[in-house]
Amino acid sequence: MSSLRLDKTYDPKSVEARWYRTWTERGYFHASTSHPGQPYSIVIPPPNVTGSLHVGHALNHSLQDILIRWRRMQGRNTLWLPGTDHAGIATQNVVEKQLLSEGLSRDALGRERFIERVWQWKAASGNTIIEQQKQLGESCDWDRLRFTMDEGLSKAVVEVFVRLFEEGLIYRGERLINWCPRCLTALSDIEVEHEEVKGKLFHIRYPLADDSGLSLVVATTRPETMLGDTAVAVHPDDPRYRHLIGRKVRLPLTRREIPIIGDAVLVDLEFGTGAVKITPAHDFNDYEAGERHQLPRLAIFDHQALLDPASLASARVEDDIIAAIARLPVSKARPKIEQALSDRGMLVKVEDHKMSLGKCYRCKTVVEPYLSPQWFVNIKPLAEPAIRAVEDGSIRIIPEGWINNYLGWMRDIKDWCISRQIWWGHQIPAWYCEQCNERFIHKQTSTDAAGNAILRITLLQGATPVVARAAPAACPQCGGQQWLRDPDVLDTWFSSGLWPFSTLGWPEQTPELKTYYPTSTLVTGLDILFFWVARMIMLGLKFMGDVPFRDVYIHALVRDAEGQKMSKSKGNVIDPLHVMHQFGTDALRFTLSSMASPGRDLKLAEERIEGYRNFANKIWNAARFSLMYLEGPRLSKPFAERPFADRWILSRLNTAIRTVTTELEAYRFDRAANALYHFIWHEYCDWYLELIKPTLQNPAHPDGPATRQTLLDTLETTMRLLHPFMPFITEEIWQTIPHEGDSIVVQRYPMPNDAWDAPDAEQRFLLLEQAVSLVRTGRVLLSYPPGQQIAFALAHDDAEKQRQLQQLQPHLAHLSRGTPEIASQPAWPPAQRLRLVTEGLTIGLVVSGDVDLKKALDRLVKQREDQDKDMARLTGKLDNQDFVAKAPPEVLAEHRMRLRSLEHDQAMLSSSEQQLRAFLKA
RNA sequence: GGGCGGAUAGCUCAGUUGGAAGAGCGCUGCCCUUACAAGGCAGAGGUCACAGGUUCGAUCCCUGUUCCGCCUACCA
């Protein structure tokens, strides 16, 4: 027996796990290609396999589950495909940290044992997030759980790589790339986070080499890179310097002379001194300038961003300088260089300067531009169709505001560096014949601090790879059998870019692919629009010939109550599991959906969740109340013959159904949730249940059977309407009340029923609500004890409404706990000294006993003053000739009506006020 | 530097063809009324950032200003 009949409070813990188990055991979430419905599919943004559920996931997943449950109930063939991402650098970092705490390193372990270790870690902790997703109630098809390094998905990765290579869309080349000196790997442009910092601009004197005594002063934010300068640029039109182009300067601290060149692209006449040092090996702009002018590239840092003595020597840096800075990191070397320059009088000045610093998105280490051979995707040919798909509406981005962001980025896209010098990931399917490439393969052996041998293989620029689906047998050039596989792995986003089709079986032509591709909707946060969404669009169009999804819904980022980004170090993290445990999963889900308004950050405070826990409890008790009275006979009458209150609530329910459906179609989860909240709490509970109490509590009431039926219909329908948002409590209640079917999960979603629209009942209700509220106000003003009946008379200046009030008299009496008398104005009994008025409705309250009428008078005066203001404004408008002449007639009529109504109210108010004053005087 | 978005009640935010300022939470007062005190009822609180413009009329449209976010960028 359900606890619904017993417990006054809803206990989520006793409900959630039980129903989730039932749902999965019965296979409700399993998608079948033979399902007759129109397909509706979503692939989940795969969370990091070793991660755990944070509140951002909770939002993202709740919204997807709402869509999926809603579409499933609509009879669609739904698939929500779950999975996890191997998250290359992030996961490798986690495991490396573990090793460090054991005194080990990845180098000490070696590649194979390290990867094995990561797999172990995945086996141990990879299911954490899956289990947490289940606690959130996610209706994923767990039979189709995928992992980006599954055999099938890995096959897809190789296939895509090989095909792109064969088409010339993937190439290997030595370029200046972003390099993380801590992770020791290349990064793509978007994996670098830019942060504005206060830096310094150093002005350094470079003397001309001809002993003329002249010099050029260059400005730089990174003085240490000057040791790798290979030219100085000035603007070709700069009258200050243009005559110097072609001459040379002596590079301070070195024994080198470097040319002065003219370059209009690099040099901005307005900035700094107008002379720019060029370090092609350590700056992206300088790199390009170096390309333009065939300048040599002198790298002076090694892969850990330490100043490398050998490189410094070959850059002919003075020996004492080398000795001072060898093996130092940039931050330590900079002051030494500054000092050396200053000592030699070469430092002209130093000024403060705002600059942006690139940091690794995984470990926040400052990223260095680094010259190395890497693999790239030639991205322009892929980007063009992806731009068109959004422009022509094949893909809708919601909210639309992000479209320009997407298009802007795509139009300006740079080649994608896809190789990473880490071990955890898809190893690049490229092999090098050791014999043919002998001079390009560098094997370096060294030992780490613990004495472990470390083998570092570098494949220099010029090595010729064989790209293939499997290791080649013999070299086509020399017949050699010795192959060295490229040690690099692919960017983790390369495999997630294939997610919408690799998870459905591609490259095989599976029935799943045929049924569920393109997927219907992608739900994601803005932070991975470029990392992931853009890549999926490009690769989906390329390999499937169709878009990967029709709609992209972009939701906000979750922040804390102060708007701060949640982070462990700040200690402001809201743990969804903790919250679910404390307030219930449904409360958390409802909170997140109700706050998911588009385009804004979402500030989450625990109080909000608590508020929706109360909502769940309210629903629970409404259901308890209903159950108490559902025992008796029920009778389904034609709608027109049902009692007033029943017709009213069904009409309101109809509106709620329409609103929720329309808003979900528009991805306005917030509005849909708010409509549900308002309907359930303020219409169903506050008014409907109160209205029908007299009927239900009187066993002989003639309306009993019909009302019991409506009560059940409304509750049952409301549970279905709410189910996608609050799956657990709705199932528990639905199962307990009379119902047909096995589970609410597979019931039909409510449809509006036009026959239930009852504008007459709605209009009457508004009248009733107005009257009841007015009496209640009077009760408070007159300090009537709650239990005491209050006597009052009421009148409406509209005869029809006056008549309706008479019909509503029993409801009026019950809801106001009073004895109403429908009096025709203006014959008010003398005892009724307090009159309250609103919009033509006047209520005269009988003052009994000794009450303080001062409060009542204050209120009357205040109301009259407010109305005076309104009337003045209205009269002013209506006296305005332009307004009368130019405003639309319906607006004019409305204004005039309002004024008449105000005049009536005003008359009643002032007569009541006079009466009250007279009484108070006496 | 460029782009986008925001500024409405104490807080978080709704408010689309321009025509009487809304919700939730919080706050105040009264109530443990037979579904619910995780509740009910009543109430207080806003020159819709600022300055102009268009209009009979502007929270809404236009221009400018200030402040705050975010994205993006090669001014060393």
Side-chain angles (χ1 to χ4, degrees):
Chain A
M1 173 158 174
S2 163
S3 58
L4 184 49
R5 291 172 194 277
L6 310 168
D7 295 349
K8 282 170 80 165
T9 52
Y10 170 57
D11 176 24
K13 283 192 281 296
S14 68
V15 169
E16 295 177 0
R18 174 160 48 88
W19 283 120
Y20 198 82
R21 200 175 335 109
T22 307
W23 295 334
T24 44
E25 279 168 9
R26 294 187 190 162
Y28 292 147
F29 306 154
H30 183 65
S32 159
T33 52
S34 58
H35 186 291
Q38 186 193 346
Y40 183 86
S41 53
I42 295 180
V43 289
I44 208 164
N48 183 344
V49 65
T50 56
S52 61
L53 195 79
H54 60 67
V55 70
H57 294 127
L59 169 67
N60 180 254
H61 295 193
S62 294
L63 300 184
Q64 290 173 71
D65 197 40
I66 289 169
L67 291 174
I68 283 285
R69 285 181 183 269
W70 169 52
R71 294 301 193 183
R72 181 185 296 118
M73 291 176 79
Q74 285 188 331
R76 301 281 288 268
N77 176 3
T78 49
L79 166 64
W80 188 13
L81 195 145
T84 49
D85 194 293
H86 68 281
I89 301 174
T91 303
Q92 171 147 337
N93 283 353
V94 169
V95 176
E96 279 193 52
K97 255 183 211 157
Q98 282 189 338
L99 289 175
L100 199 66
S101 69
E102 297 167 26
L104 287 168
S105 72
R106 69 153 148 153
D107 287 318
L109 228 54
R111 183 166 191 141
E112 273 180 35
R113 282 174 59 206
F114 177 79
I115 291 175
E116 216 171 278
R117 181 66 196 250
V118 184
W119 278 107
Q120 282 168 13
W121 164 243
K122 189 239 169 197
S125 70
N127 276 333
T128 307
I129 196 158
I130 302 298
E131 291 311 312
Q132 292 169 335
Q133 287 177 251
K134 291 177 179 175
Q135 284 182 53
L136 194 63
E138 299 180 23
S139 60
C140 299
D141 184 352
W142 298 109
D143 298 340
R144 298 181 196 276
L145 184 69
R146 294 288 184 271
F147 176 53
T148 47
M149 280 176 58
D150 280 350
E151 200 186 330
L153 275 71
S154 299
K155 197 176 157 195
V157 166
V158 169
E159 187 65 29
V160 164
F161 187 96
V162 172
R163 285 200 207 172
L164 287 175
F165 180 82
E166 284 168 353
E167 282 189 54
L169 292 172
I170 281 183
Y171 63 92
R172 184 170 190 267
E174 188 171 61
R175 300 277 186 285
L176 197 63
I177 44 84
N178 295 292
W179 179 269
C180 175
R182 201 222 63 86
C183 301
L184 299 179
T185 179
L187 298 171
S188 66
D189 293 342
I190 50 174
E191 287 173 305
V192 179
E193 289 176 354
H194 294 274
E195 191 184 315
E196 187 127 301
V197 293
K198 281 185 200 160
K200 292 203 162 79
L201 194 59
F202 299 82
H203 294 245
I204 307 170
R205 184 184 307 282
Y206 285 13
L208 259 64
D210 54 12
D211 294 319
S212 60
L214 297 170
S215 62
L216 266 181
V217 176
V218 301
T220 179
T221 54
R222 302 192 57 190
E224 67 282 0
T225 62
M226 64 159 292
L227 302 175
D229 286 0
T230 53
V232 172
V234 297
H235 198 283
D237 301 333
D238 191 337
R240 294 172 294 179
Y241 305 128
R242 67 180 169 218
H243 60 284
L244 298 176
I245 292 170
R247 295 165 77 171
K248 291 189 167 183
V249 292
R250 195 173 292 141
L251 186 63
L253 313 186
T254 72
R255 295 184 300 271
R256 278 195 292 131
E257 293 180 357
I258 57 175
I260 300 168
I261 60 169
D263 192 299
V265 179
L266 185 65
V267 182
D268 178 353
L269 283 167
E270 309 293 315
F271 187 86
T273 60
V276 185
K277 62 190 270 313
I278 300 181
T279 325
H282 294 295
D283 183 279
F284 288 103
N285 296 318
D286 294 5
Y287 177 84
E288 283 172 21
E291 294 266 276
R292 285 195 291 275
H293 300 278
Q294 284 88 45
L295 298 173
R297 300 170 191 147
L298 286 179
I300 55 168
F301 305 138
D302 67 8
H303 64 291
Q304 291 176 292
L306 305 177
L307 284 129
D308 178 49
S311 305
L312 291 168
S314 60
R316 303 187 62 197
V317 175
E318 292 173 12
D319 295 340
D320 55 328
I321 301 292
I322 297 180
I325 60 175
R327 310 294 305 155
L328 286 184
V330 169
S331 57
K332 298 248 170 61
R334 183 173 298 169
K336 303 229 182 224
I337 296 291
E338 187 183 350
Q339 189 61 47
L341 287 168
S342 174
D343 289 346
R344 292 169 202 218
M346 296 302 189
L347 191 61
V348 179
K349 67 170 171 178
V350 180
E351 54 190 11
D352 289 337
H353 181 68
K354 262 194 318 190
M355 51 186 271
S356 84
L357 205 56
K359 295 188 170 180
C360 171
Y361 80 138
R362 290 304 188 198
C363 73
K364 313 298 174 199
T365 302
V366 176
V367 164
E368 282 291 333
Y370 187 64
L371 197 59
S372 62
Q374 302 287 348
W375 291 89
F376 295 89
V377 175
N378 175 7
I379 205 81
K380 284 273 181 202
L382 296 175
E384 278 160 23
I387 291 168
R388 275 198 304 275
V390 170
E391 281 175 339
D392 69 18
S394 311
I395 294 178
R396 293 200 308 153
I397 295 182
I398 301 135
E400 290 179 356
W402 302 121
I403 291 177
N404 283 334
N405 254 27
Y406 169 87
L407 291 177
W409 189 76
M410 288 296 273
R411 285 176 184 145
D412 194 33
I413 197 165
K414 306 264 163 46
D415 278 3
W416 177 15
C417 176
I418 50 170
S419 44
R420 297 289 177 273
Q421 286 67 50
I422 58 171
W423 291 345
W424 175 242
H426 300 99
Q427 195 169 352
I428 289 179
W431 285 264
Y432 302 83
C433 168
E434 297 211 17
Q435 199 169 314
C436 294
N437 291 290
E438 198 179 352
R439 64 201 179 95
F440 299 112
I441 301 174
H442 270 210
K443 293 184 181 177
Q444 268 179 303
T445 319
S446 59
T447 50
D448 68 6
N452 300 300
I454 297 167
L455 176 65
R456 226 181 119 77
I457 298 172
T458 317
L459 285 158
L460 300 181
Q461 171 71 358
T464 313
V466 173
V467 169
R469 288 165 183 81
C475 175
Q477 301 296 321
C478 68
Q481 304 275 332
Q482 287 290 94
W483 292 96
L484 176 67
R485 184 162 184 181
D486 196 308
D488 290 354
V489 301
L490 287 165
D491 181 1
T492 205
W493 299 101
F494 191 91
S495 54
S496 32
L498 318 179
W499 189 247
F501 51 95
S502 65
T503 51
L504 294 172
W506 190 90
E508 312 305 328
Q509 289 304 312
T510 59
E512 283 78 7
L513 207 54
K514 199 161 175 264
T515 307
Y516 299 114
Y517 192 98
T519 63
S520 311
T521 304
L522 182 80
V523 178
T524 182
L526 181 67
D527 48 338
I528 51 175
L529 180 63
F530 303 141
F531 279 113
W532 190 48
V533 181
R535 269 87 177 254
M536 282 191 288
I537 296 175
M538 291 189 279
L539 293 167
L541 285 165
K542 176 73 185 170
F543 289 96
M544 293 295 299
D546 199 353
V547 296
F549 25 72
R550 301 284 181 212
D551 288 356
V552 179
Y553 173 73
I554 297 175
H555 58 71
L557 253 52
V558 183
R559 292 168 183 278
D560 73 1
E562 274 75 48
Q564 300 287 311
K565 209 167 183 173
M566 286 190 189
S567 71
K568 280 180 191 159
S569 55
K570 284 185 195 144
N572 60 351
V573 175
I574 290 185
D575 175 8
L577 295 156
H578 173 75
V579 165
M580 281 153 63
H581 187 73
Q582 195 176 0
F583 300 118
T585 299
D586 289 333
L588 174 65
R589 290 174 54 121
F590 200 85
T591 307
L592 293 170
S593 46
S594 77
M595 295 176 82
S597 46
R600 275 179 180 277
D601 286 343
L602 184 157
K603 296 179 192 172
L604 184 64
E606 284 206 9
E607 296 80 64
R608 299 298 295 246
I609 308 166
E610 190 179 356
Y612 288 115
R613 183 274 313 265
N614 296 354
F615 177 49
N617 200 48
K618 186 77 179 176
I619 297 168
W620 181 256
N621 279 294
R624 260 173 18 101
F625 171 83
S626 305
L627 267 184
M628 281 170 53
Y629 294 105
L630 280 177
E631 300 290 341
R634 299 194 302 271
L635 176 65
S636 204
K637 277 191 171 178
F639 184 76
E641 293 170 30
R642 298 201 193 192
F644 152 74
D646 292 359
R647 287 189 300 121
W648 173 72
I649 195 64
L650 290 173
S651 185
R652 296 308 301 159
L653 174 63
N654 228 13
T655 299
I657 293 169
R658 285 198 187 97
T659 306
V660 171
T661 305
T662 312
E663 299 298 2
L664 279 180
E665 279 163 358
Y667 299 99
R668 287 302 301 258
F669 301 93
D670 56 330
R671 291 189 188 166
N674 290 338
L676 278 162
Y677 183 92
H678 186 263
F679 171 73
I680 293 173
W681 199 312
H682 298 301
E683 297 186 318
Y684 182 70
C685 292
D686 283 353
W687 286 96
Y688 179 64
L689 294 185
E690 294 303 327
L691 272 167
I692 62 172
K693 270 181 184 172
T695 309
L696 295 176
Q697 286 165 353
N698 173 4
H701 199 289
D703 286 343
T707 291
R708 276 192 291 273
Q709 186 62 46
T710 306
L711 179 65
L712 176 61
D713 288 346
T714 311
L715 180 62
E716 195 271 340
T717 307
T718 304
M719 288 306 100
R720 281 185 283 126
L721 194 63
L722 180 64
H723 178 259
F725 297 80
M726 298 184 125
F728 294 110
I729 192 174
T730 49
E731 175 78 302
E732 178 72 4
I733 291 172
W734 187 85
Q735 294 282 352
T736 310
I737 60 177
H739 66 276
E740 280 172 31
D742 294 328
S743 166
I744 196 170
V745 173
V746 288
Q747 298 310 302
R748 293 311 290 254
Y749 204 66
M751 304 264 280
N753 178 350
D754 291 345
W756 283 1
D757 287 324
D760 64 312
E762 298 215 15
Q763 183 267 317
R764 275 164 200 245
F765 174 81
L766 290 177
L767 187 61
L768 176 66
E769 183 189 33
Q770 191 182 33
V772 170
S773 291
L774 217 49
V775 177
R776 286 172 177 168
T777 304
R779 181 185 276 278
V780 171
L781 287 173
L782 298 175
S783 307
Y784 261 77
Q788 191 179 332
Q789 290 279 305
I790 186 166
F792 62 93
L794 74 180
H796 204 290
D797 69 344
D798 181 311
E800 170 60 18
K801 290 188 175 168
Q802 175 85 4
R803 215 173 48 76
Q804 290 174 359
L805 281 170
Q806 260 153 7
Q807 292 167 356
L808 291 166
Q809 188 162 6
H811 292 302
L812 207 47
H814 163 244
L815 292 173
S816 64
R817 291 175 188 282
T819 48
E821 183 184 336
I822 316 295
S824 59
Q825 58 178 326
W828 297 91
Q832 291 167 344
R833 293 191 192 91
L834 178 62
R835 278 183 220 168
L836 298 173
V837 182
T838 178
E839 291 174 31
L841 177 71
T842 309
I843 293 194
L845 294 136
V846 178
V847 178
S848 71
D850 295 321
V851 287
D852 178 18
L853 286 175
K854 198 92 175 52
K855 205 163 63 172
L857 183 61
D858 287 349
R859 158 132 182 154
L860 275 194
V861 170
K862 188 179 177 329
Q863 195 184 349
R864 187 174 53 74
E865 283 168 0
D866 287 352
Q867 288 195 356
D868 278 343
K869 273 186 231 158
D870 283 353
M871 280 179 72
R873 205 184 51 237
L874 274 176
T875 323
K877 269 182 115 171
L878 287 166
D879 285 349
N880 184 332
Q881 294 302 313
D882 282 336
F883 174 72
V884 176
K886 293 182 185 170
E890 64 272 17
V891 173
L892 201 57
E894 203 186 305
H895 277 63
R896 288 195 167 125
M897 223 165 74
R898 211 184 310 147
L899 186 61
R900 263 205 307 280
S901 164
L902 276 174
E903 278 165 353
H904 167 267
D905 290 2
Q906 200 74 333
M908 294 308 292
L909 273 179
S910 45
S911 102
S912 182
E913 193 182 324
Q914 278 167 23
Q915 210 175 351
L916 213 52
R917 279 187 201 284
F919 180 76
L920 277 169
K921 230 177 244 177

